[in-house]
Amino acid sequence: MNRENELLTLYWKNNQLYILDQRYLPQKIEYRVCLSYSDVVDSICEMSVRGAPAIGISAGFGVALAAREALDKGYNKDQMITYLNKAADKLFQSRPTAVNLYWALDRMKNWLNTHVKESPKQIAEGLTREAKIILEEDLENNRQIGKNGALLIPPRATVLTHCNAGALATGGYGTALGVIRAAIENGSEVHVFVDETRPLLQGARLTAVELVQEKIPATLITDNCAGSLMAQGKIDLIIVGADRIAGNGDTANKIGTYSLAVLASYHDIPFYVAAPLSTIDLSISSGDEIIVEERHRKEVTHFNERCIAPEGIEVCNPAFDVTPARLIKAIITERGLVYKPDREKLNNLFQKV
Amino acid sequence: MNRENELLTLYWKNNQLYILDQRYLPQKIEYRVCLSYSDVVDSICEMSVRGAPAIGISAGFGVALAAREALDKGYNKDQMITYLNKAADKLFQSRPTAVNLYWALDRMKNWLNTHVKESPKQIAEGLTREAKIILEEDLENNRQIGKNGALLIPPRATVLTHCNAGALATGGYGTALGVIRAAIENGSEVHVFVDETRPLLQGARLTAVELVQEKIPATLITDNCAGSLMAQGKIDLIIVGADRIAGNGDTANKIGTYSLAVLASYHDIPFYVAAPLSTIDLSISSGDEIIVEERHRKEVTHFNERCIAPEGIEVCNPAFDVTPARLIKAIITERGLVYKPDREKLNNLFQKV
């Protein structure tokens, strides 16, 4: 299969990681070739790859690349493990909010810890295998999230989504968009409204592309417009993805998600979050503990290298906001729906076999 | 006074109207010279000039230009009046939502009706004078709106505003920004948060420029970000302008205003509208009757001629939305504050001498 011709978020080939450089979409389809874990760190920092699950998968492959590098350098076991720890640290620091990054790194470390007696070559191969499994499981989880969430979509529905929680944010299929895909596969007539999602326009540049490619009826709007459409009764429900879900169900997602949740509450529109268990962080008790990344002012003041604001203006550019659990009707996971999410229900999710 | 060196929204010189071409701000300061009423129609349609009061003033000068054209063409009185009616019709159709446009055209027509016996030359001079008076009165009204509204601003306050309701939207000083200016003149310490205001970015390109020029502390944010700042307690109050206020107080303003008003209500933050009486349309009973202009899809899909969305995606691009009166704490006018606006209170406003 000639995978390069498909619009894959990322793929592994000849011991190299190919990351679709999403900064250039929809104008240019270009893959960023990662030969080292540093290339992966850069790809995450610079947002060539984004979306919590996709960041996690990339980090997994980043560790695999580090092992390959160690092997190429002829390191012995101790040197390799030192190098792997350094790589994991750097990957850990690449972005602060999406917890899937830490989840994937923990998983890679766990594999290493239980296989530490193997040879450097076996370790490199094993870590590569583990990263591939993370990718495959993510795709499988998304299909299950889709199945579970599709039950929430009426036979005819208009669905608003924000940012990109689609195939391009994950190993494939998507979380929020996965639910929409599954509903359509089930025969629902769905019309999607897509927030363009400033400042980086992941809605316009990524989600709209996925929907057009699959001929799913969709309308692009400015983020500003969503409230007015709700007031006009044009939105039946809202589904978004998540970057981190605290133990009590508070959810960090792309900036603007919180406003949508408040507007949904005001208009009595169901507001759903679709995310795999790897996005749930039971180690923190509420959204207050989630670190929200503040990104560079230039994302707001410049567009396509053209300055759209006066020099000297201050900028506040948080990449995410936190939606309190009380505004979320249900969290859609691969292990089922969690209505009115709270600590107990989220804890129980992890007890299921 | 060399007025060309100032950043005036528009000015009249040598029987020509100079309109600051706001499409090119902040990168380029360029005035569009209007030699005919058609030039004014184009300037309004293409949004070289925008902001309800500024559109009204421009339309007034458009009629004055039509009278000058008729004079230059050597028209007799009847021909001139036919030409003026045609000009008024075209100006009338230039944009549908801001009622100040119709208000100004009515005023010009009223002047004509009461001076119809004068010579073509006298009519041309009289209409020019009337347009200048509209401009001067607008500036004066804005200063009074500022004085009235400044009483609502605490000694230390953070104020969120949307789009541009500043000097650049009016004959000068501004409505919402006029209130902020007046509060600062009164000694208040105000920090302004400015929504960038997609799709045409009037917040980033115009409001931010006005604030930086006057060294008013200000922070630019994406429209997405406002709700999150409110949740964090960072916004004390919100002031916006208006394009049309229905008889019951329902207010059409730039798309996104409605969402802000709902968010303000949810967070118990006062939400104010600042506008002159010329924005109030007693002829309609509620916001349901306000025609909301749908603008071209390219405003959303393209940026600086670069396509940011896939071809084939549908777009919904209303320029305005309608905020119901119940979400507005007060309307700030040149004749005073109208708390909890309703038909009776707005009617009374017009009875005052």
Side-chain angles (χ1 to χ4, degrees):
Chain A
M1 187 173 62
N2 185 1
R3 298 189 77 180
E4 283 96 320
N5 290 339
E6 294 175 35
L7 206 58
L8 294 167
T9 306
L10 50 78
Y11 62 92
W12 180 265
K13 190 180 169 189
N14 299 335
N15 293 333
Q16 295 171 349
L17 179 66
Y18 291 76
I19 288 179
L20 178 62
D21 201 332
Q22 300 190 21
R23 296 173 301 172
Y24 305 134
L25 289 177
Q27 295 212 308
K28 205 164 64 174
I29 294 170
E30 188 174 298
Y31 280 83
R32 188 164 176 171
V33 188
C34 297
L35 308 174
S36 67
Y37 81 82
S38 297
D39 292 341
V40 179
V41 170
D42 292 346
S43 297
I44 295 172
C45 287
E46 294 163 15
M47 290 180 69
S48 296
V49 63
R50 27 63 53 199
I55 289 171
I57 298 163
S58 302
F61 280 113
V63 175
L65 279 171
R68 301 269 159 193
E69 290 173 68
L71 212 58
D72 290 345
K73 290 171 200 274
Y75 285 174
N76 65 27
K77 179 85 65 71
D78 282 352
Q79 288 171 315
M80 178 183 233
I81 287 169
T82 303
Y83 194 72
L84 286 172
N85 283 329
K86 187 179 148 200
D89 281 353
K90 293 286 181 188
L91 287 160
F92 189 91
Q93 292 161 28
S94 59
R95 287 193 75 190
T97 303
V99 76
N100 313 58
L101 173 65
Y102 314 126
W103 171 88
L105 290 172
D106 275 348
R107 187 158 156 175
M108 297 300 281
K109 278 186 193 170
N110 287 342
W111 187 93
L112 182 62
N113 289 340
T114 53
H115 296 80
V116 76
K117 291 190 178 157
E118 297 187 9
S119 72
K121 185 157 186 295
Q122 284 172 319
I123 287 174
E125 281 167 1
L127 286 173
T128 304
R129 213 161 40 235
E130 190 68 4
K132 286 182 183 171
I133 293 170
I134 291 176
L135 169 60
E136 282 158 22
E137 283 181 2
D138 185 66
L139 181 58
E140 184 49 44
N141 287 339
N142 292 340
R143 291 202 180 271
Q144 195 57 49
I145 288 170
K147 272 187 200 160
N148 296 341
L151 304 173
L152 302 168
I153 315 283
R156 287 175 64 99
T158 53
V159 180
L160 175 70
T161 191
H162 188 64
C163 196
N164 175 264
L168 293 168
T170 62
Y173 203 67
T175 51
L177 283 195
V179 172
I180 290 167
R181 287 187 166 98
I184 290 169
E185 288 163 16
N186 282 0
S188 283
E189 283 180 43
V190 178
H191 188 102
V192 185
F193 285 88
V194 185
D195 277 353
E196 64 173 2
T197 318
R198 281 280 290 158
L200 296 182
L201 297 165
Q202 292 94 337
R205 296 190 305 103
L206 310 177
T207 299
V209 168
E210 290 194 35
L211 295 169
V212 167
Q213 277 188 344
E214 297 192 27
K215 298 191 169 52
I216 298 172
T219 302
L220 179 65
I221 58 172
T222 60
D223 306 309
N224 267 335
C225 188
S228 173
L229 292 179
M230 291 186 218
Q232 294 168 58
K234 290 187 179 170
I235 307 293
D236 295 328
L237 58 112
I238 300 174
I239 312 180
V240 298
D243 290 83
R244 190 185 305 211
I245 299 172
N248 68 343
D250 293 352
T251 295
N253 190 47
K254 179 56 55 193
I255 187 77
T257 302
Y258 170 72
S259 294
L260 291 180
V262 170
L263 286 159
S265 166
Y266 184 83
H267 296 96
D268 206 17
I269 293 169
F271 182 88
Y272 300 110
V273 170
L277 264 64
S278 55
T279 305
I280 300 172
D281 183 0
L282 293 179
S283 79
I284 57 172
S285 59
S286 83
D288 294 342
E289 294 171 57
I290 299 176
I291 295 167
V292 170
E293 178 183 12
E294 177 77 19
R295 291 190 58 88
H296 199 280
R297 56 177 275 118
K298 213 178 161 185
E299 290 184 354
V300 179
T301 59
H302 284 66
F303 199 102
N304 193 15
E305 292 306 311
R306 177 170 171 175
C307 186
I308 55 172
E311 278 183 42
I313 187 83
E314 272 183 37
V315 173
C316 171
N317 182 27
F320 307 97
D321 57 27
V322 177
T323 299
R326 67 176 182 278
L327 294 174
I328 299 168
K329 182 159 181 185
I331 297 175
I332 306 164
T333 79
E334 68 272 31
R335 290 204 187 154
L337 307 174
V338 184
Y339 283 96
K340 293 190 180 179
D342 62 20
R343 170 158 287 280
E344 194 187 341
K345 291 175 191 166
L346 291 180
N347 264 323
N348 287 343
L349 213 52
F350 287 84
Q351 310 310 319
K352 291 189 190 176
V353 187
Chain B
M1 186 175 63
N2 185 2
R3 298 188 78 180
E4 283 96 321
N5 289 338
E6 293 175 35
L7 206 58
L8 294 167
T9 306
L10 49 80
Y11 62 92
W12 179 263
K13 192 182 169 188
N14 298 334
N15 294 332
Q16 294 172 350
L17 179 66
Y18 291 77
I19 288 179
L20 178 62
D21 201 332
Q22 300 190 22
R23 296 173 300 171
Y24 305 134
L25 289 176
Q27 294 211 309
K28 204 164 65 174
I29 294 169
E30 187 175 300
Y31 280 84
R32 188 164 175 170
V33 188
C34 297
L35 308 173
S36 66
Y37 81 83
S38 297
D39 292 341
V40 178
V41 170
D42 292 345
S43 297
I44 294 172
C45 286
E46 294 163 15
M47 292 182 68
S48 295
V49 63
R50 28 63 53 200
I55 289 172
I57 298 162
S58 301
F61 280 114
V63 174
L65 279 171
R68 301 269 159 194
E69 290 173 68
L71 212 59
D72 290 346
K73 291 172 199 273
Y75 285 174
N76 65 27
K77 180 85 66 73
D78 283 352
Q79 288 172 316
M80 179 184 232
I81 286 169
T82 303
Y83 194 72
L84 286 173
N85 283 330
K86 186 179 149 200
D89 282 352
K90 293 284 182 190
L91 287 160
F92 189 90
Q93 292 161 26
S94 59
R95 285 193 76 191
T97 304
V99 77
N100 313 58
L101 173 65
Y102 315 127
W103 172 88
L105 291 171
D106 275 349
R107 187 158 155 174
M108 297 301 281
K109 278 187 191 167
N110 287 342
W111 187 93
L112 182 62
N113 289 339
T114 53
H115 296 79
V116 77
K117 292 191 176 154
E118 297 187 10
S119 71
K121 185 157 188 295
Q122 285 172 319
I123 287 174
E125 282 167 1
L127 286 172
T128 305
R129 215 161 36 236
E130 190 67 5
K132 285 181 182 171
I133 293 170
I134 290 175
L135 169 60
E136 282 159 22
E137 284 181 2
D138 184 68
L139 182 57
E140 185 48 46
N141 287 339
N142 291 340
R143 291 199 181 275
Q144 195 57 49
I145 287 170
K147 270 187 201 159
N148 296 340
L151 304 172
L152 301 168
I153 316 282
R156 287 175 63 100
T158 52
V159 180
L160 175 70
T161 191
H162 189 64
C163 196
N164 175 265
L168 293 168
T170 61
Y173 204 67
T175 51
L177 283 195
V179 171
I180 290 166
R181 286 187 166 98
I184 290 169
E185 288 162 17
N186 282 1
S188 283
E189 283 180 43
V190 178
H191 188 103
V192 184
F193 284 89
V194 185
D195 276 353
E196 63 174 4
T197 319
R198 280 280 291 157
L200 296 182
L201 298 165
Q202 292 94 337
R205 296 189 306 102
L206 310 176
T207 299
V209 168
E210 290 194 37
L211 295 168
V212 166
Q213 277 188 344
E214 296 192 29
K215 299 190 170 51
I216 297 172
T219 301
L220 179 64
I221 59 172
T222 61
D223 306 310
N224 266 336
C225 187
S228 173
L229 292 178
M230 292 186 216
Q232 293 168 59
K234 290 187 179 171
I235 308 293
D236 294 328
L237 58 113
I238 300 174
I239 313 181
V240 298
D243 290 83
R244 188 185 305 211
I245 299 172
N248 68 342
D250 292 352
T251 295
N253 190 48
K254 178 57 54 195
I255 187 75
T257 302
Y258 170 72
S259 294
L260 291 180
V262 170
L263 286 160
S265 165
Y266 184 83
H267 296 95
D268 207 16
I269 294 169
F271 182 88
Y272 300 110
V273 170
L277 264 64
S278 55
T279 305
I280 299 172
D281 182 0
L282 293 180
S283 78
I284 57 173
S285 59
S286 84
D288 294 341
E289 295 172 55
I290 299 176
I291 295 168
V292 170
E293 178 183 11
E294 177 76 21
R295 291 190 59 88
H296 199 281
R297 56 178 274 118
K298 213 179 160 185
E299 289 182 357
V300 178
T301 58
H302 284 67
F303 199 102
N304 192 15
E305 293 304 311
R306 177 170 171 174
C307 186
I308 55 173
E311 278 182 42
I313 187 85
E314 273 182 35
V315 173
C316 171
N317 182 25
F320 307 97
D321 57 27
V322 177
T323 299
R326 67 176 181 278
L327 294 174
I328 300 167
K329 182 161 182 184
I331 297 175
I332 307 164
T333 79
E334 67 271 33
R335 291 206 186 152
L337 307 175
V338 184
Y339 282 97
K340 293 190 180 177
D342 61 21
R343 170 157 286 280
E344 193 187 342
K345 291 175 191 165
L346 291 180
N347 264 324
N348 287 343
L349 213 52
F350 286 84
Q351 311 309 320
K352 290 188 190 176
V353 187

